Amino acid sequence: MDPLLQRELERLTNDNVAFRAFVGHRHHTWARTYSSQPELYIQPESHDEIHKVVTLARRCRKRITIVGSAHSPSDLTCTSSWMVNLDRYSKIVSVDESRKVVVLQSGIRLGQLGLELRKLGLAMPNLGSIDDQSIAGAIATATHGSTLRQGILSQSVLALRIMLSNGNTVLCSPEQNGDLFSAALVSLGALGIITEITFQAVPLFNIEWEQSIQPLSHILDTWSGDLWTQAEWVRVWWCPYGKKGIVWKADKTVKPLGEKKVGSWYGGWAGFHTYQALLYVARWVPRLLPGIEWFVFGMQYGFGYGACGSAVEEGREGFLTNCLFSQFVNEWALPLSKGPEAISRLQAWIDGDQPTSRIPFSPRGIYIHSPIEVRVSGNSFHTPKPHIDPSHPTEPTLYLNATLYRPYNRNPPCLDRYYQAFEYLMKDLGGRPHWAKNFTTVTRDEIWAMYPRMGEWVGLRDEVDPVGMFVGSWHRRFILPPQDSGEESRRESKHRVRTQSAGAAKSSNGGDGVEELASTTSEESFDLMHGAEAEGSLYIQGIVGDHEDEHDENGGE
C-alpha cells in the first residue's frame, strides 16, 4: 500500500466508514478497445464512503476516474490512478408518485432503473440502443435516443447533487447553482462525483414497432417529408453496398404485449458465430464485405423490400439493440437538414467516386462494415442548454454512427482511412463528435471551435476542481488547455499501461492496434490488460473524524 495512503487511513481510524478499495484490478472497455490498470479500484456504498474516497484522494494527491459499465469504446475511463465504480451505490432514494419524480443514487444502471421504475408503474421517457450504462455515465456523455420529440437523456434531469474535490456536496438545478447544473448535464466526469439525480419519469408505456426494408433513394426522397415524423421514434440502419436501409418506427400503444413477428438470425448461436467468422475472414479479403452485407442482412431482415418485422413490447425493451461484437463506434451529430448531403457524399466515397464525395482521402481498396446507424433527436428544453451538448442549437439533430466491428478483438484494415474520410465529411458539414465514441482526427482547437461555451465550461470546471482531481489524460488531450507538466506529473501514478486505440491502430496492415501512449503532461501510458477482475483486495475500515474535512450535507460552494 502507498505509505502516504496508509498514514492517512491511520488518521481516520474512528469514523466507522469503510474504504472499499481493491488492488490488482484490470479495467477494460466493454469492446476491449482500451485497457488500464488503476492503482486502486474503489466501490463505495454510501455517501459517506464517497466522501472518504474524495478526502483521501485530496490528501494523497491522487486522481479519481469514475467508471460505470465502461461501454464507451474510448479511453475516457482509463486511468493508472484511482478508479471509482458506483455499482454498489445504486438505490432509488425517493419517489414523488403524484409528480412522477424519482431521486436516484447515481450508480444505478439504466436497465436496473427500468425494472425499478416498472414496479412503480413508471418508465424513462426515452432510451438509446442499450441500457447497460449507469445513469450518471449516460448523462455525462450526452446519450440520446432517436426521436424528434426529445433531446438528450439529460433533458429529464431536474436536479443533481455533486461532490466536489473539496468534499462539499452541492445541490444544483435550474434555480440553484444554475451554471454548475448546465455544465454538469454533460460533465464528462470532470467536475466531481455526481451522487444523486432527480429524474422526471413518465407513466409506464408499451410501444408498437415495425420495420421495413426501403431503397436508399426512397429514404432520401422522404427525408424532408414524413420520414422522421411518421412515428414518435424512428431510426434507420443504412446498408451502403445494397443502397437500402432498414427503417424502424415506433409509437406508444395501449395494445397488450405480443410476440415478436420477426426472428433474429445473428442473435442466435449459428448466426452470431457465422457473422463474426465472416468478418474475420474479410480482414484478409476485404472485398468480401459487400457480399457479407448482402448475406447477413438478408438472413436477418429478408432479401427483398417491404415489411420485415413488428412487435408490441415494453418501451424499455423495444428500444434495445444487440451490439454483437467488439467494435469501434464513431458517431457524429449534424444538423438534420445536412443528412441527404452527408449520406450521398459518403455513399459516393464508399462506391469509389471520390470526385462526387469531395472527400480528400482515397477510397481505393477500402471496404467498410454495415450498417451505418442513422438516428435523430430534438432540442433539449433546458434553458440554457448544457454547455457542451453536441446536439444542434437551432434545429433537430442527425446522428450518423460509423461502426466498425473487431471480430475476435482484431481491428479491420479499413479503420484509419475510413475514419479519416468519415470525420473529414462530418467536420465539413458542421458536425460534432459524440463524447463517448472513437473520434480519431479531432484536435483540441477544433473542439473549442465547435462549442462556443467551451471556455465557460472549462472555467467552471477549474473553479470547482482547482486541483484537477477529476481530470484524466483524455480531458487533457481533447479539451483542457496545455499547462505546466510538473504538477500533472506529480498527480499521476507511475504505472505503465498500454491501449488498443482507434487512432493509432496501424490498421493498414490489419494489426490489432496495440500502441504505447506517451503523455506530454504525465508519465502515464497505457498497458494492455485483459479481464476486469480484482485479483487481490484491500478492505479497510477507516473513520473520518478530521474537522478540516467535514462536509456540508446540504451543499455549499
Side-chain angles (χ1 to χ4, degrees):
M1 184 193 302
D2 182 346
L4 178 57
L5 174 59
Q6 180 68 56
R7 288 197 300 271
E8 293 300 332
L9 283 167
E10 289 172 356
R11 292 178 60 192
L12 305 176
T13 56
N14 298 312
D15 65 354
N16 294 318
V17 176
F19 182 62
R20 304 174 193 275
F22 302 85
V23 296
H25 177 86
R26 269 80 167 178
H27 166 77
H28 61 74
T29 61
W30 170 85
R32 295 182 180 269
T33 45
Y34 288 87
S35 300
S36 66
Q37 184 172 20
E39 179 183 353
L40 290 179
Y41 183 76
I42 308 165
Q43 290 189 298
E45 297 182 5
S46 69
H47 184 275
D48 286 343
E49 290 183 17
I50 296 172
H51 180 262
K52 185 166 187 171
V53 172
V54 171
T55 298
L56 289 169
R58 184 174 63 254
R59 293 179 179 180
C60 297
R61 303 180 66 78
K62 297 294 184 180
R63 295 195 182 282
I64 290 177
T65 295
I66 304 99
V67 64
S69 66
H71 219 282
S72 165
S74 80
D75 63 329
L76 178 59
T77 59
C78 287
T79 185
S80 62
S81 191
W82 290 8
M83 180 175 288
V84 175
N85 171 266
L86 299 179
D87 280 353
R88 299 179 181 178
Y89 188 72
S90 57
K91 298 177 182 177
I92 291 183
V93 177
S94 65
V95 179
D96 183 331
E97 295 186 10
S98 63
R99 296 169 53 221
K100 300 177 179 59
V101 172
V102 184
V103 180
L104 319 161
Q105 291 180 340
S106 58
I108 193 168
R109 300 287 183 94
L110 297 183
Q112 179 188 354
L113 174 58
L115 292 172
E116 294 298 324
L117 291 176
R118 185 179 187 276
K119 297 175 185 177
L120 301 168
L122 300 174
M124 296 179 63
N126 195 19
L127 194 63
S129 297
I130 59 172
D131 63 359
D132 300 303
Q133 315 102 305
S134 68
I135 182 71
I139 290 169
T141 54
T143 296
H144 60 90
S146 192
T147 172
L148 292 180
R149 301 186 192 181
Q150 299 185 55
I152 59 176
L153 262 60
S154 294
Q155 175 175 305
S156 299
V157 175
L158 304 180
L160 298 166
R161 284 188 182 270
I162 307 176
M163 186 174 295
L164 306 181
S165 60
N166 64 6
N168 284 346
T169 298
V170 179
L171 176 64
C172 58
S173 67
E175 297 77 30
Q176 183 174 353
N177 298 308
D179 284 345
L180 179 58
F181 180 68
S182 180
L185 287 174
V186 184
S187 72
L188 304 179
L191 303 182
I193 299 180
I194 295 175
T195 59
E196 281 186 5
I197 297 166
T198 303
F199 190 84
Q200 181 65 66
V202 298
L204 185 68
F205 63 91
N206 295 338
I207 60 170
E208 181 176 19
W209 62 260
E210 58 184 52
Q211 58 192 18
S212 60
I213 302 174
Q214 300 178 15
L216 180 60
S217 58
H218 177 76
I219 292 170
L220 296 179
D221 288 344
T222 58
W223 190 277
S224 299
D226 67 347
L227 176 64
W228 301 111
T229 59
Q230 59 184 307
E232 184 167 354
W233 290 274
V234 182
R235 58 191 175 196
V236 175
W237 292 285
W238 164 30
C239 299
Y241 293 115
K243 295 182 174 57
K244 60 186 178 182
I246 296 93
V247 178
W248 182 96
K249 61 181 182 179
D251 277 307
K252 293 176 183 175
T253 182
V254 295
K255 293 181 180 179
L257 301 179
E259 185 178 351
K260 288 185 181 180
K261 297 179 181 178
V262 62
S264 177
W265 178 75
Y266 53 54
W269 186 92
F272 178 91
H273 291 287
T274 299
Y275 190 11
Q276 186 166 210
L278 289 171
L279 290 173
Y280 185 79
V281 171
R283 293 181 68 249
W284 311 107
V285 192
R287 65 178 179 272
L288 293 175
L289 284 169
I292 292 172
E293 176 195 284
W294 173 83
F295 172 72
V296 167
F297 292 96
M299 294 295 292
Q300 178 72 10
Y301 297 106
F303 292 92
Y305 293 115
C308 58
S310 63
V312 175
E313 296 183 277
E314 284 188 28
R316 64 181 182 84
E317 295 179 336
F319 296 131
L320 304 181
T321 59
N322 187 344
C323 291
L324 295 173
F325 327 113
S326 171
Q327 57 195 249
F328 290 118
V329 185
N330 199 340
E331 183 176 57
W332 286 61
L334 299 167
L336 182 60
S337 60
K338 296 288 187 180
E341 180 182 354
I343 290 174
S344 297
R345 288 174 63 184
L346 187 57
Q347 179 73 65
W349 190 84
I350 293 168
D351 290 343
D353 184 357
Q354 188 176 0
T356 298
S357 74
R358 306 194 303 281
I359 296 174
F361 296 95
S362 172
R364 183 180 177 85
I366 295 296
Y367 296 89
I368 70 164
H369 293 170
S370 301
I372 298 170
E373 188 178 37
V374 186
R375 293 185 289 171
V376 296
S377 77
N379 287 316
S380 169
F381 59 67
H382 282 124
T383 304
K385 290 183 66 174
H387 287 67
I388 53 175
D389 180 350
S391 60
H392 196 270
T394 61
E395 69 171 272
T397 301
L398 162 70
Y399 292 92
L400 280 183
N401 180 1
T403 296
L404 286 174
Y405 291 115
R406 302 179 62 248
Y408 308 112
N409 296 324
R410 305 292 289 182
N411 291 352
C414 66
L415 176 60
D416 285 344
R417 209 185 325 160
Y418 177 39
Y419 276 2
Q420 286 174 336
F422 179 72
E423 292 186 14
Y424 174 87
L425 176 60
M426 297 298 99
K427 287 185 278 190
D428 191 46
L429 295 175
R432 296 169 170 174
H434 190 301
W435 289 118
K437 304 302 172 64
N438 295 113
F439 49 94
T440 65
T441 67
V442 184
T443 67
R444 181 190 295 110
D445 289 345
E446 286 176 322
I447 285 182
W448 276 67
M450 294 171 184
Y451 291 93
R453 301 185 69 197
M454 180 60 79
E456 295 178 53
W457 187 89
V458 169
L460 195 147
R461 198 227 70 76
D462 291 345
E463 181 180 340
V464 298
D465 180 24
V467 297
M469 181 183 293
F470 300 102
V471 170
S473 62
W474 185 97
H475 303 103
R476 295 194 301 274
R477 189 164 74 249
F478 288 114
I479 295 178
L480 299 185
Q483 54 187 310
D484 174 69
S485 63
E487 176 66 12
E488 297 298 320
S489 295
R490 288 191 293 272
R491 290 190 57 80
E492 290 289 354
S493 302
K494 303 294 192 260
H495 298 284
R496 289 189 63 77
V497 200
R498 286 193 307 175
T499 181
Q500 229 164 326
S501 79
K506 305 294 186 291
S507 59
S508 58
N509 61 10
D512 58 4
V514 177
E515 183 202 26
E516 294 211 6
L517 297 184
S519 170
T520 59
T521 56
S522 76
E523 294 180 10
E524 183 183 67
S525 57
F526 290 83
D527 192 16
L528 177 63
M529 297 292 179
H530 294 289
E533 64 276 5
E535 294 182 342
S537 67
L538 179 67
Y539 181 80
I540 305 165
Q541 286 283 79
I543 287 194
V544 171
D546 216 293
H547 292 296
E548 66 175 358
D549 288 309
E550 287 181 356
H551 63 289
D552 176 7
E553 286 290 345
N554 296 319
E557 293 184 294

